[in-house]
Amino acid sequence: MVTGLYFALALFVLAVISITYIRLKAPRRSPALRESGRSRPIESTKAIEEVEPLPAPRDSEALSDEPPEVSQAPAPATRKRARGFLGESLAKFRSRRAVGEEFWEELEEVLLRCDVGLAVTTSLVAKVREDVQRGGVTDASEAIRFLQLEMERTFEGVDRSIALSDRAPSVLLFVGVNGVGKTTSIGKVAARFKSEGKTVVMAAGDTFRAAATEQLERWAERADVELVKGTPGGDPASVIFDAISHAAAISADIVLGDTAGRLQNRSNLMDELRKIRRVTEKANGTVTEVFLVLDATTGQNGLAQAKGFSEATGVTGVILTKLDGSAKGGVAFAIERELSIPIKLVGLGEGITDLEPFDPVRFVADITESDDVASGGV
């Protein structure tokens, strides 16, 4: 009997020691996790602290559509450059000796992967195929040359000059979704006009984000031009109207109006853009351009953006940015052929002079040649 009691006590002590050892060795959960019941660790607060809080917008829906604009990180070395992205695919076709049905099917697939779009791809391939058959071409490399010529024709007969009025100031509005390089493009355009001897005034029409105004202030300093800004959360149309009035009073030549980034499918936010356009038309100036700033890496979504913004504001030209990154550039063909909106300027870097007039011949050459043979800018 006594032996049994000693044996039971020994088992109990052993069990207590085992449980204590397991609890000591097990990882402890932080108080934050215990309180929330989450099994995943919370994100580092350092990353959160580095993001500047947004001012409260007048329309609560605007906040969800307008994340802070951040600079794009450099592309990893393994990613292809913008120039030659399509060209490296076409290089495989040049090595072929014959042009057959498989050639045309794969060519369509390559163009679609490079964001040219279904309608434009179908039209391009059909026309090139017709020209190749008419000319009796059987060499794949020569067929690619026909493709390049047809691509160049897509951009023919378009006025790509920046329109300015004889009655100063000329007003240029900039629209687009957030993060496409809109503010940066305004700074570059300002510097370009400044170098031509024109007097420029910037209007900080993105009143929803304090960071946007601060960014525009830095570009105004770099370009050595004036900036008119309002109060955080103020009426964007009023800010641009005041900038136009100020420009007229000092006999400035050009007003560059920034607007808040927004998604093209949010009707209430697009209505605000319509209001800005109406108000600026009543000011003592002339709206000569409405530039849609597009990120060349967005692909066919860029076409949807162009449609939405054009309906709301009457877009007159496109500034295609980030062509120095991983962009395929194919969306340029769809914008011009399907929407008849001219691409007027292209952004090729972060420098203040990295903005150039769009040259269709150089553009086609750049995107259809591989990195080994591509040279020059767009």
Side-chain angles (χ1 to χ4, degrees):
M1 181 69 178
V2 173
T3 302
L5 289 175
Y6 278 120
F7 181 76
L9 181 61
L11 288 177
F12 175 78
V13 171
L14 182 62
V16 170
I17 293 173
S18 299
I19 292 173
T20 303
Y21 176 81
I22 292 173
R23 292 187 64 180
L24 289 173
K25 296 293 288 183
R28 301 183 64 184
R29 299 172 69 191
S30 67
L33 291 179
R34 288 199 299 270
E35 290 175 5
S36 64
R38 292 178 296 183
S39 59
R40 289 167 31 184
I42 60 175
E43 296 181 1
S44 169
T45 57
K46 182 179 180 181
I48 297 175
E49 291 170 355
E50 292 175 350
V51 178
E52 185 169 353
L54 303 180
R58 289 177 292 105
D59 187 325
S60 60
E61 291 184 275
L63 184 61
S64 62
D65 286 342
E66 300 183 26
E69 188 170 6
V70 295
S71 58
Q72 188 182 31
T78 55
R79 295 177 70 179
K80 293 181 174 64
R81 296 162 54 208
R83 302 186 186 96
F85 192 103
L86 174 59
E88 290 177 9
S89 298
L90 294 180
K92 300 176 183 179
F93 289 88
R94 290 187 173 92
S95 63
R96 298 186 179 187
R97 294 184 178 180
V99 176
E101 192 62 35
E102 183 180 356
F103 172 90
W104 298 112
E105 291 178 359
E106 292 184 10
L107 180 59
E108 282 189 349
E109 182 180 343
V110 166
L111 292 175
L112 288 172
R113 288 207 320 264
C114 292
D115 298 331
V116 175
L118 179 60
V120 178
T121 293
T122 302
S123 175
L124 277 175
V125 173
K127 186 64 172 67
V128 173
R129 188 169 187 169
E130 179 184 329
D131 292 342
V132 165
Q133 291 175 346
R134 185 187 300 114
V137 175
T138 58
D139 180 69
S141 182
E142 186 63 21
I144 295 302
R145 180 53 189 156
F146 273 83
L147 172 65
Q148 291 174 315
L149 292 173
E150 190 58 33
M151 284 179 161
E152 292 174 9
R153 293 190 188 103
T154 301
F155 300 110
E156 288 180 347
V158 176
D159 181 9
R160 302 186 189 280
S161 62
I162 298 178
L164 298 177
S165 174
D166 294 332
R167 184 173 69 89
S170 297
V171 181
L172 284 63
L173 298 178
F174 294 75
V175 300
V177 302
N178 215 34
V180 296
K182 181 160 46 66
T183 306
T184 301
S185 296
I186 294 173
K188 294 176 181 179
V189 171
R192 188 180 188 88
F193 281 130
K194 179 74 174 181
S195 68
E196 296 173 357
K198 293 182 171 59
T199 306
V200 180
V201 174
M202 288 184 181
D206 184 353
T207 59
F208 292 144
R209 296 188 303 118
T213 300
E214 293 171 3
Q215 185 182 12
L216 202 61
E217 282 181 313
R218 291 193 295 270
W219 277 106
E221 291 175 2
R222 292 181 65 184
D224 190 23
V225 301
E226 286 194 58
L227 172 67
V228 174
K229 58 183 181 179
T231 58
D235 180 25
S238 296
V239 175
I240 298 178
F241 185 93
D242 290 344
I244 298 172
S245 299
H246 174 68
I250 65 173
S251 299
D253 301 303
I254 296 168
V255 175
L256 306 178
D258 189 16
T259 61
R262 63 200 67 226
L263 298 179
Q264 76 278 1
N265 57 358
R266 300 301 295 271
S267 59
N268 60 322
L269 300 180
M270 296 304 284
D271 285 342
E272 188 170 76
L273 276 184
R274 294 184 180 93
K275 175 187 174 183
I276 292 174
R277 179 63 192 265
R278 290 194 306 269
V279 171
T280 52
E281 292 284 5
K282 298 176 182 178
N284 191 20
T286 305
V287 179
T288 59
E289 293 278 10
V290 178
F291 282 121
L292 171 63
V293 183
L294 279 180
D295 181 342
T297 67
T298 57
Q300 285 298 295
N301 185 44
L303 186 62
Q305 292 175 28
K307 290 178 179 177
F309 282 99
S310 185
E311 291 173 359
T313 62
V315 172
T316 59
V318 168
I319 298 177
L320 202 58
T321 65
K322 304 181 184 179
L323 276 173
D324 58 318
S326 60
K328 303 170 186 177
V331 69
F333 297 96
I335 290 172
E336 292 237 350
R337 178 163 287 191
E338 294 186 33
L339 302 181
S340 298
I341 301 176
I343 298 171
K344 296 195 173 185
L345 298 167
V346 289
L348 300 171
E350 293 299 320
I352 197 166
T353 60
D354 293 333
L355 187 73
E356 300 180 6
F358 179 66
D359 184 336
V361 176
R362 295 175 67 182
F363 173 73
V364 171
D366 282 339
I367 68 169
T368 56
E369 296 292 347
S370 64
D371 281 342
D372 293 333
V373 297
S375 61
V378 176

